[in-house]
Amino acid sequence: MRRPLSQKDHEISFTQFVFTIYKTQIGIGILTLPRDLVETTGTDGWISLLIGYAIAVTASILIIAAMSKYPKDTLYELLPRLFGSWIGRGLSLLWIGYTAGGALVMLLWSVHLTQVWVLPGISNQTLMFLFVLPICLYTFQGLKLVGRFGEFVYMSSFWMPLALFWGLKDAHWLNFLPIGHNGWVHIIQAVKSTLLSFLGFELAFVLYPYLTEKKHAIRGVVFANTLALITYSIATVVSFLQFSEETLKEYVWPSLVLLKLIRLPFVERFEIIFVALYLIILFATIIPYLYMSAMGANKLLRTSNHRYYTIAFLAGCVVLSMLFQPSVWQLEWMGRQYGKAGYLLAFLFPVLLWLWGIGYRFIRKERHS
């Protein structure tokens, strides 16, 4: 019988806070973002990336500003406090669905990526079963272990974006000229793609109450978003320098195509090894989202153990893998639907919550004066 989780099982340090958010943000975006940007705004996509970064940082700071007034509450406890029981529980249900959807999309992407690049002969359900085992073990524990996993993933994978610099040996710097040739309309339109890639900072809604150094929370979310910006900038800029716009549009995973340029005397296909190692980064996206979803279900239904919801979700994923094997285009469609929810819940909702919190405290102050 597992012991109940205590407060200490959830406490996370500043570095765990930063790296959990950062590694959740990376996910599949680094593999597909260069193509998404070039399809909308060509090689001016780096400008869209900077704008998306500014928006993500602003939303992250608003989350901390809203949560700092109720430092012991997670999002699922704050919503009923501010909006009342029925509306608060309804909003909690939306967040549970959103985070569970994020975990599901990333899990399906992980299986598909492994089948295409590493193990094409293994069935969908076998890979799914193998993936849910370590995910289940990490999600069973408290946030402290989730944070430690984020630290481990960062320390073991920090070299991966740097490997893309190999593509600079055949760089075509004229690909960037003229700057702004597609116009600001297309640059602004491409910001939507960058916002989807920065999703993950909304985990601060759950991480903040357990952060031991809350006074550094704003610095933490800015640092996490900046690390994500640097990682995406490397993948995007190197892809733009290596490939023409028309060539980039033909690649589903341009970052992996870059890795095909690496030739080592002891490794024939470096990109296969890269993908196999990259799975831990994908797990670092799935685990926090799944934990946030299971925690929300636990608090919504007022039960004492989030593990039951974790088992139910992962068992459902295994069953789904037996019935449905999505293509890359179906996965991209699912990602776009998840992204639409992300625009509302991760970017718009923090603004509304912050404003609502100000109004709520003002009204309470007026009533007590």
Side-chain angles (χ1 to χ4, degrees):
M1 187 73 178
R2 289 179 177 269
R3 66 174 179 84
L5 297 176
S6 66
Q7 178 68 20
K8 283 193 172 294
D9 291 318
H10 294 297
E11 290 179 352
I12 58 173
S13 66
F14 175 76
T15 55
Q16 290 169 351
F17 178 76
V18 170
F19 293 139
T20 299
I21 292 176
Y22 164 53
K23 284 305 176 183
T24 304
Q25 288 179 300
I26 296 304
I28 207 74
I30 190 175
L31 305 181
T32 60
L33 183 61
R35 188 202 61 178
D36 295 336
L37 290 176
V38 84
E39 286 179 341
T40 306
T41 189
T43 53
D44 292 326
W46 63 272
I47 304 175
S48 305
L49 188 60
L50 293 176
I51 297 173
Y53 164 75
I55 295 174
V57 168
T58 302
S60 302
I61 293 174
L62 288 178
I63 290 175
I64 301 302
M67 299 299 293
S68 63
K69 303 301 180 182
Y70 310 92
K72 294 184 179 180
D73 288 354
T74 66
L75 176 67
Y76 301 114
E77 294 154 335
L78 181 60
L79 291 176
R81 180 195 292 270
L82 295 182
F83 295 96
S85 178
W86 286 100
I87 296 177
R89 290 166 70 85
L91 290 172
S92 295
L93 189 61
L94 284 178
W95 273 96
I96 293 168
Y98 165 72
T99 50
L104 175 62
V105 171
M106 289 306 304
L107 193 49
L108 292 174
W109 263 115
S110 301
V111 171
H112 180 82
L113 195 65
T114 305
Q115 282 187 314
V116 171
W117 287 88
V118 184
L119 299 169
I122 294 189
S123 67
N124 202 42
Q125 56 267 31
T126 301
L127 281 175
M128 181 66 77
F129 180 75
L130 292 174
F131 285 174
V132 301
L133 291 178
I135 291 171
C136 186
L137 291 175
Y138 274 100
T139 314
F140 265 23
Q141 307 305 316
L143 275 176
K144 183 184 288 291
L145 187 60
V146 175
R148 286 175 177 172
F149 182 66
E151 284 183 312
F152 165 74
V153 172
Y154 174 77
M155 296 302 295
S156 59
S157 64
F158 73 92
W159 59 271
M160 287 185 170
L162 302 179
L164 299 177
F165 278 121
W166 191 274
L168 289 179
K169 64 188 182 74
D170 297 316
H172 304 284
W173 294 94
L174 293 179
N175 286 353
F176 274 103
L177 299 178
I179 295 175
H181 63 283
N182 282 313
W184 280 100
V185 173
H186 289 92
I187 291 174
I188 298 301
Q189 288 176 344
V191 171
K192 291 178 62 178
S193 298
T194 66
L195 293 181
L196 178 60
S197 296
F198 279 108
L199 288 177
F201 63 84
E202 67 273 21
L203 285 174
F205 275 128
V206 167
L207 298 179
Y208 178 80
Y210 303 106
L211 178 62
T212 55
E213 303 171 79
K214 291 183 173 60
K215 62 181 179 180
H216 299 314
I218 290 180
R219 185 190 306 174
V221 292
V222 173
F223 191 26
N225 279 287
T226 303
L227 287 173
L229 172 67
I230 293 171
T231 302
Y232 287 134
S233 296
I234 292 172
T236 300
V237 171
V238 174
S239 295
F240 288 172
L241 290 173
Q242 179 64 36
F243 306 116
S244 67
E245 291 186 13
E246 295 304 316
T247 303
L248 259 180
K249 293 176 183 178
E250 297 175 0
Y251 296 139
V252 178
W253 298 292
S255 299
L256 293 181
V257 177
L258 279 173
L259 296 172
K260 287 188 172 183
L261 303 174
I262 298 178
R263 293 289 185 268
L264 300 175
F266 51 88
V267 177
E268 184 173 350
R269 294 191 62 186
F270 178 75
E271 71 276 9
I272 293 179
I273 297 176
F274 184 94
V275 171
L277 296 175
Y278 192 78
L279 286 175
I280 64 169
I281 296 181
L282 296 178
F283 286 178
T285 299
I286 297 166
I287 290 170
Y289 270 135
L290 178 54
Y291 191 93
M292 187 173 178
S293 178
M295 174 189 284
N298 188 47
K299 292 185 180 296
L300 181 66
L301 299 177
R302 299 175 183 173
T303 51
S304 59
N305 199 330
H306 75 283
R307 294 161 180 155
Y308 302 124
Y309 309 107
T310 302
I311 293 173
F313 174 85
L314 294 176
C317 290
V318 174
V319 173
L320 179 64
S321 67
M322 298 177 183
L323 305 174
F324 175 56
Q325 184 171 354
S327 66
V328 64
W329 311 117
Q330 289 172 320
L331 287 170
E332 289 190 343
W333 179 87
M334 293 171 67
R336 286 193 297 270
Q337 305 316 305
Y338 164 70
K340 291 176 182 178
Y343 300 141
L344 295 175
L345 292 177
F347 290 99
L348 180 60
F349 182 77
V351 179
L352 299 178
L353 182 66
W354 177 66
L355 293 174
W356 186 276
I358 292 175
Y360 174 82
R361 290 188 297 274
F362 176 77
I363 292 173
R364 289 196 64 184
K365 185 178 179 180
E366 287 294 312
R367 286 179 178 176
H368 288 85
S369 63

